[in-house]
Amino acid sequence: MEKEPVAKSPELAYGIPPRAGAVVFALVAAAAMAGYAWTILGTARNAGDWLLIIPATIIGVAALLWAAIVDGKSLVRQSGRRVQFLTDPAGKPVTLLILIGAYALSLPFLGFDGGTVIFLALALLIQGERRVWLIVLNAIAGTALMVWVFHGLLMVRLPLSIF
């Protein structure tokens, strides 16, 4: 009776190339820092605000982008399959993390309801659902329920485009 070899790390056990999460995190954090700095430019009271925030943002964004580049090169070298792991079952968490970032960035343009319908449909596709009618039904019903809860029950103003 042969024993199955035990992987020394979760990355090796599930086939996820190391540092994929680090690359995504660095890119999302850099985008968040840059977005925050952009809002400061429009609401700054004086040059002192700029002098405190902008240099720190430039250094932070540069460091995060450098980390993403270094880890990304390592990721490509170690995977041997380029970024094909994003479509593998083991890469679903990283793909969903990227989708969440894209969802957050798209809300000002698509509205909460439009963005949520697209997000839910793509998330179901990533998770393996292939029945189109079920994807459409769940995306629309889930979005309608969330809009009703936030807008109707909790009285939270949302940037809506459809409902």
Side-chain angles (χ1 to χ4, degrees):
M1 180 176 198
E2 293 181 25
K3 288 188 176 181
E4 194 172 313
V6 178
K8 294 183 180 181
S9 72
E11 289 85 7
L12 294 175
Y14 296 109
I16 299 172
R19 299 189 175 157
V23 172
V24 173
F25 177 78
L27 293 174
V28 170
M33 287 180 80
Y36 175 70
W38 184 259
T39 62
I40 291 298
L41 290 176
T43 61
R45 295 172 297 212
N46 56 31
D49 290 343
W50 296 350
L51 292 174
L52 293 173
I53 300 297
I54 302 303
T57 302
I58 291 170
I59 293 168
V61 169
L64 287 167
L65 290 177
W66 180 257
I69 290 168
V70 169
D71 285 347
K73 285 181 182 177
S74 173
L75 177 68
V76 170
R77 245 190 335 269
Q78 290 174 2
S79 72
R81 299 179 289 158
R82 302 284 176 198
V83 292
Q84 184 180 8
F85 72 92
L86 292 176
T87 58
D88 291 343
K92 285 181 186 177
V94 176
T95 308
L96 286 171
L97 185 60
I98 293 169
L99 180 63
I100 290 169
Y103 169 64
L105 293 174
S106 72
L107 287 180
F109 307 105
L110 299 175
F112 179 78
D113 46 359
T116 303
V117 166
I118 294 169
F119 170 76
L120 289 176
L122 291 175
L124 286 169
L125 276 171
I126 291 169
Q127 290 298 319
E129 183 57 56
R130 295 295 177 249
R131 294 174 286 186
V132 175
W133 69 271
L134 193 59
I135 292 172
V136 170
L137 178 70
N138 282 315
I140 292 173
T143 300
L145 180 64
M146 281 192 273
V147 168
W148 176 69
V149 167
F150 282 109
H151 196 71
L153 294 179
L154 300 175
M155 304 296 179
V156 176
R157 290 186 176 186
L158 299 170
L160 300 176
S161 59
I162 300 171
F163 292 105

